[in-house]
Amino acid sequence: MDIDTVRDSFPAMAKGAKPANWIFFDNPAGTQMAGRSIERMTRAMIDTNANLGGYFETSVAAQAMVDDAHQAMADFLNAADRREVIFGQNMTTLTFAMSRAIGRDLKAGDAIVLTRMDHDANVAPWLMLAEDRGLEVRWIDLDPKTFELDLSTLEVTIDDKVKLVAVGYASNVTGTINDVKRIAQRARAVGALSYIDAVQFAPHRVIDVQDLGCDFLVCSAYKFFGPHHGVLWGRIDLLQALTAYKVRAASNTPPGKFETGTTSREALAGVLGAVEHYAWLGQSFGNIHPDATRRERIVAGIEVADRYERGLTARLIAGLSKIDGVTIQGIVDPGAQARRVPTVSVTIDGVDPADVARAMAKEGIFLWHGHNYGLEPIRRLGLAERNGVVRIGLAHYNTEAEVDFLLATLTKWLNSRT
């Protein structure tokens, strides 16, 4: 993969972009937008700025673009049907809405299973549903030594009382990739639904919902180089059966029944452009045949980016491990990169994470601090009283030089404090 060509495909860091010394390590909270995504959004606001259902040209063109956006995400997720793709304001809003639709069929005494690893967007909606419906809440624990979920009691935790299991595909705090396929299989075995938060996983690894065997999966386009918009996938039979909270005039069939109100046409166009960025990566650097399908090009593009990111991650972890007082709150074994995404959180002895983020920002290094909405893992790791972590997130547009600059700058700053 030619990194200069990749960076040129992002207007924020293309040659001539100002200021040129900004380093984007804030990617777990939101990546920079691919040029293809921005171009798609611009064209949508010029060429397809109309509501759907009309006979006139801009409305017909808008419908074609919307259909293509649904199909693009179906290809991205390997969905069986584009009607299984639901667009919404963000993952959190979609999850709250879907929790209410699912909750209509639950009764007092039913159980749901959550994890101590998840972002609060895949915890709070279900806790509120449990309070509303009188549900029992069970937890899958996070092992603070391995930074992985403890699945030793999976069969006991997920029994025939359980109606839903909500679990993250990858942690936005530790970077750990969870065995969601195994968890989904256990849920299916007892007749429970599985709801997968793939927000942190989607930018870095290939998703195949048919292979996972889950029932729902959510992600956010602004985490994989698109606009601020959310995506939900659900099995078509479930989407057809569930009751949607919608106006009476809206469609009674998916995806329309769950895409309430007038959707953001420009955002859908941007999601389409983000998927096309991955397809371009695959076509350009993935060594695939010229007539490859969009799904094949997407998979090749993600795999190219993943290989590159693994090298950067190993370099970052190795460098951080050499800095006195720094503790990586996640998997560090170089041979275990298959079990983590390039989201690397650290704590530093005697140093507030906010002070680190502030100091690095002055040097043009953008990264995050605090709990990052991962309330459960931060508490389970005993880091709440330490104000959370410093979080560094890599993407396939970052470089080795940027990693080295962060390591040198952090070391220099820490030494200046002593």
Side-chain angles (χ1 to χ4, degrees):
M1 190 182 78
D2 179 52
I3 188 61
D4 290 331
T5 300
V6 169
R7 287 174 68 87
D8 280 344
S9 71
F10 288 88
M13 61 194 73
K15 292 184 180 70
K18 299 295 182 182
N21 63 331
W22 283 356
I23 298 176
F24 300 103
F25 285 153
D26 57 329
N27 300 304
T31 56
Q32 296 304 299
M33 286 187 67
R36 284 169 175 77
S37 181
I38 297 171
E39 291 163 9
R40 278 282 190 179
M41 294 183 74
T42 300
R43 294 317 312 172
M45 289 185 283
I46 296 171
D47 298 334
T48 61
N49 191 21
N51 220 323
L52 308 182
Y55 296 111
F56 50 93
E57 189 169 342
T58 51
S59 180
V60 173
Q63 184 64 65
M65 184 276 294
V66 167
D67 290 343
D68 196 11
H70 281 87
Q71 186 58 57
M73 278 308 304
D75 293 341
F76 186 85
L77 301 172
N78 198 32
D81 191 318
R82 76 182 185 199
R83 295 175 299 165
E84 296 179 327
V85 173
I86 311 295
F87 288 107
Q89 182 178 353
N90 48 55
M91 175 271 180
T92 304
T93 302
L94 285 166
T95 300
F96 269 110
M98 194 54 62
S99 71
R100 268 43 198 170
I102 293 171
R104 286 176 64 100
D105 298 324
L106 304 184
K107 63 183 186 302
D110 288 340
I112 61 174
V113 176
L114 311 177
T115 90
R116 300 295 185 189
M117 176 101 62
D118 273 65
H119 186 289
D120 211 48
N122 204 28
V123 176
W126 307 112
L127 289 178
M128 296 182 75
L129 177 65
E131 182 179 2
D132 291 345
R133 304 291 289 178
L135 309 177
E136 176 190 351
V137 178
R138 301 178 183 178
W139 297 88
I140 297 175
D141 198 16
L142 162 63
D143 187 332
K145 295 181 180 179
T146 65
F147 302 101
E148 297 184 282
L149 290 178
D150 180 2
L151 301 183
S152 62
T153 60
L154 190 65
E155 284 69 27
V156 175
T157 304
I158 305 177
D159 60 21
D160 56 9
K161 279 191 64 179
V162 173
K163 303 304 178 186
L164 177 130
V165 180
V167 58
Y169 210 151
S171 171
N172 76 315
V173 173
T174 67
T176 305
I177 295 174
N178 295 315
D179 191 351
V180 296
K181 184 174 182 178
R182 177 183 170 186
I183 295 170
Q185 288 174 339
R186 177 57 189 170
R188 182 69 55 86
V190 299
L193 299 175
S194 52
Y195 193 95
I196 310 301
D197 172 6
V199 169
Q200 284 297 308
F201 187 88
H204 307 292
R205 303 290 174 87
V206 175
I207 297 175
D208 186 339
V209 291
Q210 296 186 66
D211 177 67
L212 287 178
C214 58
D215 297 298
F216 300 94
L217 182 142
V218 279
C219 55
S220 297
Y222 68 97
K223 304 297 178 77
F224 55 86
F225 318 112
H228 288 88
H229 212 58
V231 185
L232 178 143
W233 169 87
R235 288 198 292 114
I236 189 65
D237 57 325
L238 289 173
L239 295 177
Q240 289 171 331
L242 288 171
T243 299
Y245 287 75
K246 65 178 188 65
V247 297
R248 291 171 295 176
S251 172
N252 291 315
T253 60
K257 65 186 285 189
F258 291 105
E259 293 180 340
T260 54
T262 301
T263 58
S264 171
R265 216 78 71 236
E266 61 273 22
L268 269 63
V271 175
L272 171 59
V275 173
E276 289 173 336
H277 172 76
Y278 281 108
W280 167 76
L281 279 178
Q283 193 72 65
S284 300
F285 308 111
N287 193 28
I288 59 174
H289 57 91
D291 298 324
T293 66
R294 180 159 58 187
R295 170 66 181 178
E296 291 172 332
R297 287 182 284 128
I298 291 167
V299 169
I302 295 173
E303 289 177 343
V304 164
D306 176 34
R307 286 192 294 271
Y308 178 78
E309 289 172 351
R310 292 194 194 205
L312 288 184
T313 306
R315 191 182 191 94
L316 175 63
I317 289 175
L320 289 169
S321 300
K322 296 175 183 177
I323 302 176
D324 290 341
V326 171
T327 300
I328 298 172
Q329 302 292 337
I331 296 170
V332 297
D333 181 359
Q337 284 217 42
R339 304 205 309 275
R340 66 140 48 243
V341 294
T343 298
V344 182
S345 293
V346 303
T347 51
I348 303 175
D349 294 345
V351 181
D352 190 314
D355 292 339
V356 179
R358 189 179 296 110
M360 295 304 101
K362 291 179 179 178
E363 301 297 331
I365 302 171
F366 304 167
L367 42 78
W368 281 104
H369 68 281
H371 55 64
N372 298 294
Y373 290 84
L375 300 183
E376 294 298 332
I378 290 296
R379 289 169 180 168
R380 186 65 182 91
L381 295 172
L383 301 176
E385 293 183 356
R386 297 179 62 177
N387 296 328
V389 295
V390 176
R391 188 176 67 174
I392 309 157
L394 305 177
H396 68 277
Y397 50 54
N398 292 126
T399 67
E400 291 184 350
E402 290 177 332
V403 170
D404 292 346
F405 182 71
L406 165 66
L407 295 170
T409 304
L410 179 60
T411 301
K412 180 179 178 181
W413 180 74
L414 289 173
N415 288 340
S416 72
R417 292 167 52 89
T418 59

